[in-house]
């Protein structure tokens, strides 16, 4: 039996620390325990295989994770043009809109969308327009660094993940199972 | 096929914001996608039914969540004595130790253990002793407010979840599916 919240929330996880996407995944795991249907649309990820994709398959159809990005913008081996990144971000938001308005889901996670906005790939106005269309009892989570003040004003719940200590500082790189 | 990280990490999620337990749950979801076995021992929770328990059952035996607490200390309807809370916290840590040393798991989450330490229910020395026994490639996540400086020194990765905005400020209480 699905038990919906009375209020749909706009939740933002931002900041430079680890745990933003991870917290959104945890929220998805909790929500499906209540019988919710959850979709995560990944805005920057899409070129690398993350372990959460395999886990999500075990929770289908209640959880789906859809990578629609072209990889992180201007870091690592970024082979795409600005235009390709922009097109991917806009397409991801339009796809998310069809999900939100389909009446098939209770929670939508827009993973790394804040990065897409803060790096200029996705106009903030399009994201605010998206949020204007949110059904009252529908929940949206927006993750990524650099959430703009307008989005924070608009959100119901905002947590900043602050990096206090990171193993990269000791020269240890991303670890399988932990980071991806 | 299990793909282990080269280094086992001690990871701390602390701070007053939402997303600490949630990030640990997300980390569990990602880790089982790599074939890891994950156990979450809950130090303060135990008297209320959280939705993550139902989700975890769908991922058994790769994920287990074991509530061993007596509820949050001195808040809400706390019917237990200090001694009962202390005994529950010590028992949870000893149980976690048997899990860690069983060679059956790759990641252990000590949920809300920082609260148990910061409220005086669990001596910090016992937690540090526990971490001294951690096998090199084993991963431990410690969540909860008020992680003491000694623990932060000891950890490899520390994120502080800072509350920027919370719906309680608008008089909206905890929501099913989102908060529990």
């Amino acid at each position: 039996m699905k038990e919906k919240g009375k209020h749909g929330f706009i939740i933002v996880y931002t900041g430079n620390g680890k745990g933003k996407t991870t917290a959104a995944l945890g929220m998805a795991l909790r929500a499906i325990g209540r019988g919710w249907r959850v979709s995560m649309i990944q805005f920057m990820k899409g070129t690398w295989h993350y372990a959460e994709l395999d886990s999500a398959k075990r929770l289908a159809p209640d959880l789906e994770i859809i990578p629609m990005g072209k990889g992180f913008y201007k870091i690592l081996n970024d082979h795409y043009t600005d235009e390709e990144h922009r097109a991917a971000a806009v397409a991801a938001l339009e796809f998310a809109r069809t999900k939100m308005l389909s009446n098939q889901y209770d929670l939508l996670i827009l993973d790394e969308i804040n990065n897409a906005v803060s790096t200029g790939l996705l106009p903030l106005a399009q994201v605010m327009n998206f949020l204007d269309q949110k059904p009252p009892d529908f929940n949206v989570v927006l993750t990524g660094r650099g959430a703009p003040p307008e989005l924070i004003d608009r959100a119901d719940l905002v947590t900043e993940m602050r990096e206090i200590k990171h193993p990269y500082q000791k020269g240890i790189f991303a670890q399988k199972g932990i980071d991806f």
Side-chain angles (χ1 to χ4, degrees), chain A:
Chain A
M1 191 186 66
K2 184 182 299 186
E3 303 174 85
K4 281 217 188 194
K6 285 176 222 147
H7 303 265
F9 282 162
I10 298 172
I11 296 169
V12 172
Y13 288 127
T14 192
N16 67 344
K18 284 194 66 70
K20 299 181 293 289
T21 296
T22 322
L25 284 171
M27 185 170 284
L29 187 64
R30 176 174 291 154
I32 66 171
R34 290 274 170 215
W36 289 20
R37 288 283 293 270
V38 181
S39 180
M40 174 185 272
I41 311 290
Q42 297 187 313
F43 278 70
M44 309 300 281
K45 295 160 187 167
T47 55
W48 198 3
H49 187 80
Y50 289 82
E52 54 259 41
L53 299 178
D54 295 320
S55 308
K57 282 181 197 148
R58 293 174 58 177
L59 298 165
D62 299 327
L63 174 61
E64 63 179 16
I65 301 181
I66 303 170
M68 292 193 69
K70 294 288 181 192
F72 280 92
Y73 183 50
K74 291 187 176 170
I75 62 166
L76 296 170
N77 299 307
D78 181 358
H79 301 301
Y80 294 95
T81 64
D82 284 19
E83 197 43 57
E84 284 169 324
H85 276 290
R86 267 196 290 270
V90 169
L93 186 66
E94 290 316 305
F95 187 63
R97 196 189 310 265
T98 64
K99 293 276 175 186
M100 178 170 74
L101 301 177
S102 71
N103 216 13
Q104 300 296 307
Y105 300 88
D106 305 284
L107 169 63
L108 186 60
I109 298 164
L110 308 178
D111 186 41
E112 308 287 4
I113 192 174
N114 301 338
N115 302 43
V117 172
S118 65
T119 56
L121 294 176
L122 191 63
L124 174 62
Q126 289 190 25
V127 178
M128 300 305 276
N129 170 267
F130 175 92
L131 295 175
D132 288 341
Q133 292 183 282
K134 188 186 82 62
D137 59 355
F138 191 82
N139 301 277
V140 178
V141 178
L142 303 98
T143 82
R145 297 176 180 220
E150 295 89 338
L151 179 58
I152 288 171
D153 279 352
R154 183 64 184 278
D156 299 293
L157 193 157
V158 181
T159 301
E160 178 194 354
M161 276 61 170
R162 281 186 64 217
E163 179 178 306
I164 304 293
K165 196 172 181 182
H166 197 290
Y168 300 168
Q169 293 163 2
K170 293 199 294 189
I172 297 170
F173 295 102
Q175 295 286 302
K176 275 187 180 171
I178 297 288
D179 290 295
F180 59 92

